[in-house]
Amino acid sequence: MLNFSKGEQGLLPAIVQDQASGEVLMLAYINEESWRRTLATGKAHYWSRSRNKIWLKGESSGHVQLICEIRVDCDADTVVFKVEQLGRAACHTGHRSCFYRRLSADGQELEVTDSPVFDPAEVYQK
Amino acid sequence: MLNFSKGEQGLLPAIVQDQASGEVLMLAYINEESWRRTLATGKAHYWSRSRNKIWLKGESSGHVQLICEIRVDCDADTVVFKVEQLGRAACHTGHRSCFYRRLSADGQELEVTDSPVFDPAEVYQK
């Protein structure tokens, strides 16, 4: 159903979007196994490129992403996961979205547009 | 400002989102040169992996994407372009979004959820 052979090392990008607000929360990568587990469990699984392993999003933080809808693009090499984000935040920094910085009008700097909703030190210490 | 060294072959994913509706329209890739041209012109430029060249989105179809806002993620290796999509559609199939297919509830098929807003044969013939 997905064209995993098109991705570098069999990885395809998954755009994660908040089902209710439409906010883009993060981008992560899936391989076939994480895709299979996502469909089987209804919880977003990715491939962690830094840790080189399957990653159930929220396995450390408890901030699991429940799959509401999956959309597939014209080339079947990118997906959108529309999710309900548990714990209110997707980003390891404690921000709701990983895209919490906006390019300034003069293109010279990144402006932080919101405050963290959790303290990473507390959440990841557990 | 962006971490191009983190991407395969210096390419980073750009998620393209409709500024008004929040709909995810497509995903494409940027390199440093396309990033520079996007900032300089206010029109989305990408790197075409199939044609191996800089690509002004809309150069054939006229369906240019005007940049309204750019957001940058926590790792500075993915961006969101919030755009005004000229010509009403981003996808080369004539659909408004490249993500015009939804995974069915049983996970067995892809359901087309909308109709094309233009005829590709007509638009790309010009």
Side-chain angles (χ1 to χ4, degrees):
Chain A
M1 186 165 293
L2 298 183
N3 197 351
F4 284 102
S5 65
K6 271 199 69 180
E8 294 280 346
Q9 304 177 307
L11 299 179
L12 300 181
I15 298 163
V16 186
Q17 192 178 25
D18 185 278
Q19 162 78 1
S21 70
E23 185 178 14
V24 176
L25 298 176
M26 57 185 270
L27 179 135
Y29 291 86
I30 56 172
N31 63 1
E32 280 206 77
E33 175 64 12
S34 56
W35 171 246
R36 203 188 56 70
R37 291 197 199 180
T38 298
L39 298 189
T41 63
K43 296 174 182 170
H45 289 68
Y46 305 105
W47 178 259
S48 168
R49 297 185 302 171
S50 55
R51 291 176 290 156
N52 240 17
K53 61 186 278 282
I54 293 274
W55 162 39
L56 164 63
K57 167 69 183 168
E59 63 192 3
S60 310
S61 63
H63 299 170
V64 167
Q65 294 172 336
L66 303 179
I67 300 288
C68 301
E69 185 181 320
I70 294 178
R71 303 197 74 97
V72 176
D73 81 335
C74 46
D75 296 324
D77 63 2
T78 306
V79 297
V80 173
F81 288 171
K82 295 194 179 188
V83 305
E84 179 189 345
Q85 174 67 62
L86 303 188
R88 293 167 51 231
C91 187
H92 73 286
T93 60
H95 288 273
R96 173 154 183 75
S97 161
C98 291
F99 298 94
Y100 60 89
R101 296 180 301 176
R102 176 175 60 197
L103 191 65
S104 62
D106 63 5
Q108 296 304 300
E109 47 186 333
L110 296 176
E111 305 164 337
V112 174
T113 56
D114 64 7
S115 303
V117 298
F118 70 77
D119 175 0
E122 210 171 280
V123 164
Y124 292 103
Q125 214 168 48
K126 289 189 294 200
Chain B
M1 187 166 292
L2 298 182
N3 197 351
F4 283 101
S5 65
K6 272 198 71 180
E8 293 281 346
Q9 303 176 307
L11 299 179
L12 300 182
I15 299 164
V16 186
Q17 192 178 23
D18 184 278
Q19 162 78 358
S21 70
E23 186 180 12
V24 176
L25 299 176
M26 57 184 273
L27 180 134
Y29 291 87
I30 56 171
N31 63 1
E32 280 206 77
E33 175 62 12
S34 56
W35 171 246
R36 203 189 55 72
R37 291 197 199 181
T38 298
L39 298 190
T41 64
K43 297 173 181 172
H45 288 69
Y46 305 106
W47 179 258
S48 168
R49 296 184 303 169
S50 54
R51 291 176 290 155
N52 240 19
K53 61 187 277 284
I54 292 275
W55 161 39
L56 164 63
K57 168 70 183 167
E59 63 193 1
S60 309
S61 64
H63 298 170
V64 168
Q65 294 172 337
L66 304 179
I67 301 287
C68 301
E69 185 179 320
I70 294 177
R71 304 197 72 97
V72 176
D73 82 335
C74 47
D75 296 325
D77 63 1
T78 306
V79 296
V80 172
F81 287 171
K82 296 195 178 185
V83 305
E84 179 189 347
Q85 174 67 63
L86 302 188
R88 292 166 51 230
C91 188
H92 72 285
T93 60
H95 288 272
R96 174 153 181 76
S97 162
C98 292
F99 299 93
Y100 60 90
R101 298 180 298 176
R102 176 175 58 201
L103 191 66
S104 62
D106 63 7
Q108 295 303 300
E109 48 187 334
L110 296 177
E111 306 164 336
V112 174
T113 55
D114 64 7
S115 304
V117 298
F118 70 78
D119 175 1
E122 211 171 279
V123 164
Y124 292 103
Q125 217 167 46
K126 289 189 292 201

